[in-house]
Amino acid sequence: MNILQAKQEIKNAIEAYLMTDENGDYRIPVIAQRPILLIGPPGIGKTAIMEQIAAECQIGLVAYTMTHHTRQSAIGLPMIVSHTYGGKEYSATEYTMSEIIGAVYDYMASTKKDRGILFLDEINCVSETLAPTMLQFLQKKTFGNHKVPDGWIIVAAGNPPEYNKSVKEFDIVTLDRVRKMTITEDFSVWKSYAYERGVHPSIMTYLEIKKENFYQVETTASGKRFVTARGWEDLSYMIYAQELLGEPVTETMIGQYVQHPKIARDFANYYDLYNQYKDDYHVDEIMNGKIRPETVTRIREARFDEKLSLIGLLMGCLNQDFKAQTEKNHFVEQLYDILLSIREMPPQAGAEALEEAILPLDEKADHRLIRTLYTYKDRLKAGGDFNTLKGLFENEVTDLEALTNKAGKHLETAFDFMEEAFGESQEMVIFITELNTSRPAMAYISANGCERYYKYNEGLLFSSGRDKILEDIEHMSRYADFLGI
């Protein structure tokens, strides 16, 4: 299965494991809630989907990479205690709290989340001394004498032996107590994730043209050559940084992430060509509504991969707009819900409620939201009232509207260019398909609409959902009512 299918399987398992009957008992007994074991090549997003699942299921996540642990940190340190047996006192060995189990309890205390996922990565690459402990953990859900708290689902992950010499095979007794899911790489699935993460458009377009270079692992006489999804994503961050610094993106630097010399060289050449296309086709001008006749003539006569590159450039610009707008919209919605909950409170009580709202937010939360809540709390403590906060919130809504209008304008100008250059052609189908693949694009269009998208999308992927999309446009009215506009 691919990573997206595995994600849905895990979400289904969590829902089933946490389901209770009318007496509050788990419908699937804890002993029968098999740990999930993900086996797949490195760098395809096993950790990333765990973060997504925890967020979408609104439960906690505690993650450990097991190669960094010893038997002592897993089961705890031995200590001498006294017991009385048959009227006589004896010394016995017990163990302190497991570091891993202790981390779960610490997380529960700090976030107030009593349900979650304990994710143990590289579980089949542990040391010889820790291996029996891990087998016991998968079979009995305990480290030493300490049990994983009820309400916490165990998910473990590991690599197949062909990718790691340290891999240890699990025996049948262990495998018969887990839900084993074997995952393979899949560019089409990663592509949707990559749009959401804002992976550099040069990478997106290159891999669309050369999908075979998305994931490769080869063993040669000179060693291993490989490129993974993780490598492409991390390279994306570095490309953005180099561009901001005005530094070149070199083949040498690319090769530090794409550790396959032939693919690194090929992408380095494409990256230079990508930037040349950006200048030659005046992409910034296109996004601002200026379409040169010579640009249209050239792209009509260009090779197909060059047309794909230009569509990728347009999508790169649009996706930045969509991502900024959807992130801001999510932030405003969260802020709105919190402010609505303190609307009738006096300032001191409101400040305390904001403090309570901050506590459950973990390190994965929007830092902007945390900073804003602290600012609002300080304003209330300094003598401000709810109207003070409402004025600050109105500024956030104004900023959201500006981002919404900017994204809408750029989407319309992109359609202007696509229509003039290609009309109703296969290139337009590709452009619509790319929009459909991009989660930020779909979130934006679902909330704000786009008539030409509906027109060209008819008969593709989402033609039956237009009425639902139009209904969602009403979301901005919530803020207007709140602000008294």
Side-chain angles (χ1 to χ4, degrees):
M1 66 177 65
N2 61 45
I3 198 75
L4 188 60
Q5 293 167 328
K7 176 182 175 181
Q8 189 58 51
E9 287 276 346
I10 296 170
K11 290 179 70 173
N12 292 343
I14 290 172
E15 185 175 358
Y17 288 176
L18 297 180
M19 184 170 50
T20 57
D21 61 20
E22 61 276 7
N23 298 318
D25 297 322
Y26 290 114
R27 291 191 177 274
I28 299 178
V30 173
I31 191 65
Q33 293 179 8
R34 290 190 172 198
I36 295 166
L37 176 62
L38 302 177
I39 299 296
I44 64 171
K46 296 188 288 290
T47 302
I49 66 162
M50 298 317 304
E51 295 173 352
Q52 294 172 25
I53 291 168
E56 292 168 17
C57 294
Q58 298 182 329
I59 59 178
L61 174 66
V62 173
Y64 272 90
T65 300
M66 295 312 300
T67 51
H68 303 319
H69 282 273
T70 64
R71 184 173 182 273
Q72 286 74 25
S73 64
I75 69 172
L77 295 172
M79 62 180 183
I80 305 299
V81 297
S82 296
H83 290 286
T84 301
Y85 302 115
K88 293 184 179 181
E89 189 174 279
Y90 296 89
S91 295
T93 301
E94 290 188 2
Y95 289 87
T96 59
M97 172 67 79
S98 159
E99 176 187 325
I100 296 171
I101 302 298
V104 174
Y105 282 105
D106 288 341
Y107 181 90
M108 291 167 66
S110 63
T111 65
K112 311 302 181 187
K113 293 180 179 179
D114 58 0
R115 304 188 305 172
I117 301 167
L118 175 57
F119 178 60
L120 304 179
D121 200 7
E122 300 184 9
I123 195 169
N124 57 351
C125 297
V126 297
S127 64
E128 292 290 344
T129 58
L130 185 55
T133 300
M134 298 312 303
L135 296 180
Q136 178 201 42
F137 172 73
L138 289 176
Q139 293 174 17
K140 301 182 179 179
K141 303 175 185 152
T142 62
F143 278 124
N145 299 325
H146 308 291
K147 181 176 177 294
V148 175
D150 289 348
W152 281 75
I153 311 304
I154 299 167
V155 181
N159 300 324
E162 60 265 31
Y163 294 101
N164 194 324
K165 294 180 180 179
S166 302
V167 164
K168 297 171 182 61
E169 295 284 354
F170 290 125
D171 57 31
I172 293 177
V173 174
T174 302
L175 291 175
D176 194 35
R177 287 174 168 83
V178 301
R179 291 183 58 174
K180 181 181 176 183
M181 301 180 188
T182 302
I183 308 170
T184 57
E185 66 277 4
D186 188 322
F187 172 67
S188 63
V189 170
W190 180 82
K191 183 176 168 182
S192 179
Y193 162 82
Y195 269 132
E196 187 172 28
R197 299 288 288 183
V199 168
H200 198 280
S202 65
I203 293 175
M204 300 292 290
T205 310
Y206 172 76
L207 293 177
E208 185 61 40
I209 297 170
K210 298 193 175 181
K211 296 180 178 67
E212 68 276 11
N213 291 345
F214 167 59
Y215 197 104
Q216 286 193 30
V217 177
E218 298 176 0
T219 301
T220 68
S222 57
K224 286 191 178 297
R225 298 176 178 178
F226 63 92
V227 54
T228 69
R230 181 190 296 126
W232 287 117
E233 184 175 358
D234 291 347
L235 174 61
S236 169
Y237 288 120
M238 194 62 194
I239 291 175
Y240 279 126
Q242 292 291 89
E243 289 176 344
L244 288 172
L245 293 169
E247 296 293 334
V249 175
T250 65
E251 180 183 335
T252 300
M253 188 208 77
I254 293 170
Q256 295 161 7
Y257 295 87
V258 178
Q259 298 185 49
H260 191 297
K262 182 179 178 181
I263 296 176
R265 186 179 310 112
D266 194 44
F267 175 71
N269 292 334
Y270 177 78
Y271 178 78
D272 291 339
L273 189 62
Y274 170 89
N275 285 314
Q276 181 182 325
Y277 288 155
K278 187 175 182 179
D279 292 336
D280 290 351
Y281 284 106
H282 311 286
V283 173
D284 291 339
E285 290 185 3
I286 292 174
M287 297 309 297
N288 287 317
K290 181 179 179 180
I291 302 174
R292 302 189 184 196
E294 61 270 24
T295 298
V296 173
T297 300
R298 174 175 171 176
I299 196 60
R300 284 175 179 168
E301 299 172 353
R303 300 188 314 273
F304 186 65
D305 61 345
E306 190 168 329
K307 294 176 180 178
L308 279 179
S309 295
L310 181 54
I311 293 171
L313 282 161
L314 297 176
M315 277 300 303
C317 296
L318 289 173
N319 208 60
Q320 288 180 350
D321 291 339
F322 296 143
K323 190 168 183 292
Q325 193 276 341
T326 52
E327 288 177 351
K328 182 71 173 183
N329 186 60
H330 180 60
F331 161 76
V332 169
E333 287 183 339
Q334 288 180 294
L335 192 57
Y336 168 80
D337 289 337
I338 293 171
L339 288 180
L340 193 62
S341 69
I342 68 168
R343 188 174 191 172
E344 305 301 329
M345 294 181 183
Q348 184 60 36
E352 292 173 0
L354 289 176
E355 182 74 36
E356 287 295 314
I358 294 169
L359 287 176
L361 300 175
D362 59 24
E363 67 276 6
K364 298 299 181 183
D366 187 342
H367 292 175
R368 175 173 45 181
L369 177 63
I370 295 173
R371 289 194 305 269
T372 302
L373 292 177
Y374 273 120
T375 299
Y376 286 11
K377 183 193 73 171
D378 292 341
R379 289 295 183 93
L380 291 178
K381 286 190 171 183
D385 58 14
F386 187 78
N387 285 330
T388 305
L389 303 189
K390 192 166 74 169
L392 295 174
F393 180 75
E394 185 174 0
N395 293 335
E396 302 291 356
V397 174
T398 300
D399 291 344
L400 172 60
E401 290 173 343
L403 288 173
T404 302
N405 292 335
K406 177 183 176 184
K409 178 181 177 182
H410 285 173
L411 180 58
E412 292 298 331
T413 56
F415 269 113
D416 289 341
F417 176 78
M418 291 297 297
E419 287 178 342
E420 186 168 344
F422 304 117
E424 297 187 23
S425 62
Q426 64 174 343
E427 288 81 8
M428 182 65 81
V429 172
I430 291 169
F431 180 60
I432 295 297
T433 302
E434 291 301 300
L435 288 173
N436 288 336
T437 303
S438 169
R439 293 176 189 170
M442 285 295 89
Y444 176 86
I445 294 172
S446 294
N448 300 282
C450 177
E451 286 299 323
R452 283 193 284 185
Y453 167 80
Y454 303 137
K455 170 188 172 183
Y456 290 110
N457 190 56
E458 186 176 358
L460 285 176
L461 298 180
F462 298 103
S463 58
S464 63
R466 184 182 177 191
D467 291 342
K468 173 62 172 64
I469 288 172
L470 291 174
E471 289 174 6
D472 292 340
I473 297 175
E474 298 177 1
H475 77 290
M476 285 299 295
S477 65
R478 303 173 69 209
Y479 312 132
D481 293 341
F482 180 74
L483 296 170
I485 298 173

